[in-house]
Amino acid sequence: MFNFLNKKKSSTNFPRGVAHAEHVDVAELEANLKKINTALYGQNSELAFKNKTLSLLAKLYEISIQTLEPAELAKRITKDVQTILDVRLVGIYLFNSGEDTLSPLGFSSTDLISNVEKTTGFHLGMLSIKDVSENKFFYPVVCSHLASNTENFSEVWGKEIPAETLAVFQKEGHMKTILAYPLVIGDVVMGLFIMALNRSYEVFSEHERNSVSSIINVIAVALDKAQLYETLNITNKKLGEANERLKELDQLKSEFVSLATHQIRGPLTAIKGYTSLIMEGDYGEVPKQLAEPIEPLFKSSQSLVVIVEDFLNVSRIEQGKMKYDLSTFDISALVQEVAKEMKPVIEKKGLDISVSVSDEQVNISGDRGKMKQIIGNLLDNSVKYTPKGKLDVSLATNKEKGLVTVSIKDTGVGIKPQTMAHLFQKFSRAEDAS
């Protein structure tokens, strides 16, 4: 009986070695499953953050295309980064090296932080950071172009906000760490990008750090483009304002010239008229001693009258008040008349002149006085820039096209082709005119 019971008992119990082996296998399996779950969780977390980053990059690209005003661009960027990456706050600051300050351009934070701002009266997004070169946290970022982090909020806003208030911000706003990244274009730091996390930097994984670093370059380029656009807009606006002011000044100048020349013309006409009468003997015989100075006085008054008339014509043209005395006249006779009047001056300079025009009348319609002035000016200019040689004045007609061409050719210095395009621009002159 005893043996039977003993055998039965031994047959219904597992050997100690077997039971221990099964216990070890289960523990190992649980450990492996835990490792696998942890790895899968990490991979899923990394994949989720990468998806967020890709979504954010697409959003940043869209913003950079749609928004070209720096403040609006920064506002949209900070809001999207803060929302998509689910961080406590995000800020974009512009760095002014001359003033040694960081000024907030765009800022976004959670409702918790906004509530603390309302309670304390300190608004983080409105605080400029001064004396950057003396700031142990920000200066290395600006100077060395390297990202940095801190859990000591006094290093960030210590000069602007009391330590006890900053402690409230950290606690109530669920903030643990501040990250700062330089926004660099070329070798110049244009600003900083800051973020606040609800965990320590050590817990901030490597793929999260890399993802944030990748968006920093995109933000820097977008901000640089927006600032360039703003600068161009400001420059264009200033140029437009300056141009309008120049137009006003030019109009005032034209009005002044018109008024002044009108006032001068009267006395000059009187001088010219009386000297002419004296020279012609209307006031009796002129002594030789007086005749000599009177003649150059008359010629000078004549020249001044011409100059004043030119000024008047310019001001009339600019103001759109030029008047024309239209008639039909013989252009051939007019060309000969101008050449005859200028012949003494031409010969005095030792130049020869030939005039080739039709003996028949060549009638055209226009303002005879102004046409004479034009031909006279061209011929005078030709004489002025021809030190020796001759001048050829010719007139050609094309009855089929109904055209008359007056040409003046000389052996002078000439005009370069590139200068000819500017001949009729105000105040233009050839570089070698002297």
Side-chain angles (χ1 to χ4, degrees):
M1 182 70 176
F2 175 79
N3 290 337
F4 174 77
L5 290 174
N6 188 39
K7 286 180 181 179
K8 188 175 181 180
K9 184 178 181 181
S10 61
S11 64
T12 56
N13 285 288
F14 292 105
R16 289 178 180 271
V18 173
H20 180 67
E22 287 183 358
H23 176 71
V24 171
D25 289 341
V26 170
E28 227 178 85
L29 182 62
E30 287 177 349
N32 288 336
L33 283 172
K34 189 175 182 180
K35 286 181 182 179
I36 292 170
N37 285 333
T38 302
L40 286 172
Y41 178 79
Q43 288 177 358
N44 287 337
S45 176
E46 182 177 347
L47 184 61
F49 200 86
K50 284 183 177 179
N51 287 334
K52 285 183 178 181
T53 306
L54 288 173
S55 172
L56 182 57
L57 286 171
K59 194 72 175 176
L60 293 178
Y61 177 72
E62 179 185 334
I63 293 171
S64 69
I65 293 175
Q66 295 177 348
T67 312
L68 290 173
E69 200 276 317
E72 181 62 25
L73 178 84
K75 179 182 176 182
R76 292 185 61 181
I77 287 175
T78 53
K79 181 63 178 175
D80 284 336
V81 172
Q82 189 258 315
T83 304
I84 294 174
L85 296 188
D86 191 25
V87 292
R88 304 297 94 182
L89 67 79
V90 175
I92 292 177
Y93 290 76
L94 291 181
F95 176 57
N96 188 319
S97 57
E99 297 179 4
D100 200 24
T101 58
L102 286 166
S103 303
L105 183 66
F107 206 85
S108 180
S109 61
T110 62
D111 291 338
L112 291 174
I113 295 172
S114 296
N115 291 335
V116 178
E117 288 179 329
K118 291 175 184 177
T119 305
T120 62
F122 289 97
H123 296 272
L124 301 180
M126 298 175 66
L127 295 174
S128 292
I129 298 164
K130 302 173 184 176
D131 304 320
V132 177
S133 58
E134 299 174 10
N135 189 297
K136 293 181 180 179
F137 175 63
F138 284 120
Y139 184 67
V141 182
V142 172
C143 183
S144 303
H145 301 184
L146 297 174
S148 186
N149 67 89
T150 183
E151 293 185 11
N152 183 358
F153 281 40
S154 292
E155 292 182 349
V156 182
W157 291 290
K159 284 191 175 183
E160 288 75 28
I161 303 177
E164 57 272 17
T165 306
L166 283 174
V168 175
F169 268 105
Q170 282 191 264
K171 183 180 178 181
E172 301 297 330
H174 296 177
M175 292 187 287
K176 176 75 173 176
T177 308
I178 293 286
L179 308 180
Y181 298 85
L183 297 172
V184 183
I185 294 295
D187 292 327
V188 179
V189 174
M190 62 191 303
L192 294 187
F193 179 85
I194 70 166
M195 286 197 319
L197 307 177
N198 62 351
R199 58 193 187 279
S200 65
Y201 186 71
E202 287 70 24
V203 183
F204 199 50
S205 65
E206 186 178 350
H207 70 265
E208 287 177 311
R209 298 175 193 178
N210 292 336
S211 295
V212 172
S213 296
S214 68
I215 69 171
I216 297 302
N217 294 330
V218 176
I219 293 170
V221 171
L223 187 59
D224 180 58
K225 184 181 75 171
Q227 286 189 309
L228 179 61
Y229 179 80
E230 184 180 54
T231 302
L232 287 173
N233 270 351
I234 292 171
T235 302
N236 287 336
K237 185 179 178 181
K238 287 182 177 178
L239 285 173
E241 290 172 354
N243 190 43
E244 289 301 315
R245 180 59 181 156
L246 284 173
K247 286 180 180 178
E248 290 175 14
L249 291 173
D250 194 48
Q251 178 67 21
L252 289 172
K253 180 268 301 175
S254 297
E255 291 173 1
F256 170 76
V257 169
S258 178
L259 179 63
T261 47
H262 268 295
Q263 296 299 320
I264 293 170
R265 188 168 61 167
L268 276 177
T269 303
I271 293 170
K272 178 185 174 184
Y274 279 111
T275 51
S276 176
L277 291 173
I278 292 170
M279 288 175 64
E280 291 171 2
D282 287 10
Y283 293 97
E285 188 177 347
V286 181
K288 185 179 180 181
Q289 197 174 9
L290 289 176
E292 289 181 6
I294 286 176
E295 186 176 352
L297 180 63
F298 175 73
K299 289 182 178 178
S300 295
S301 66
Q302 269 188 315
S303 299
L304 282 173
V305 168
V306 172
I307 292 169
V308 168
E309 191 62 34
D310 285 343
F311 274 124
L312 272 174
N313 284 335
V314 169
S315 64
R316 287 167 183 158
I317 291 169
E318 289 178 341
Q319 296 179 65
K321 296 179 180 179
M322 176 62 81
K323 294 180 180 179
Y324 299 93
D325 184 13
L326 302 178
S327 64
T328 300
F329 60 92
D330 182 5
I331 184 69
S332 180
L334 180 63
V335 170
Q336 294 182 71
E337 182 183 319
V338 174
K340 185 178 180 180
E341 289 178 359
M342 292 195 65
K343 191 171 183 179
V345 178
I346 295 169
E347 290 177 344
K348 187 177 181 180
K349 195 173 179 181
L351 302 174
D352 294 326
I353 180 170
S354 65
V355 181
S356 302
V357 297
S358 174
D359 292 332
E360 298 178 358
Q361 283 191 2
V362 181
N363 292 328
I364 65 169
S365 295
D367 187 318
R368 191 180 191 280
K370 289 181 176 57
M371 187 63 71
K372 182 178 180 179
Q373 187 180 14
I374 291 168
I375 297 170
N377 284 343
L378 287 171
L379 191 53
D380 179 68
N381 194 74
S382 187
V383 172
K384 184 177 180 180
Y385 294 104
T386 303
K388 61 180 180 178
K390 65 175 183 176
L391 313 172
D392 293 321
V393 182
S394 62
L395 186 146
T397 59
N398 187 326
K399 293 182 179 179
E400 290 182 3
K401 294 184 178 180
L403 294 176
V404 176
T405 306
V406 177
S407 302
I408 299 173
K409 183 179 179 181
D410 60 53
T411 57
V413 296
I415 302 173
K416 293 178 181 178
Q418 58 267 34
T419 305
M420 291 183 182
H422 307 288
L423 282 178
F424 294 100
Q425 291 179 4
K426 191 162 57 175
F427 304 126
S428 64
R429 198 181 189 203
E431 292 178 2
D432 55 354
S434 58

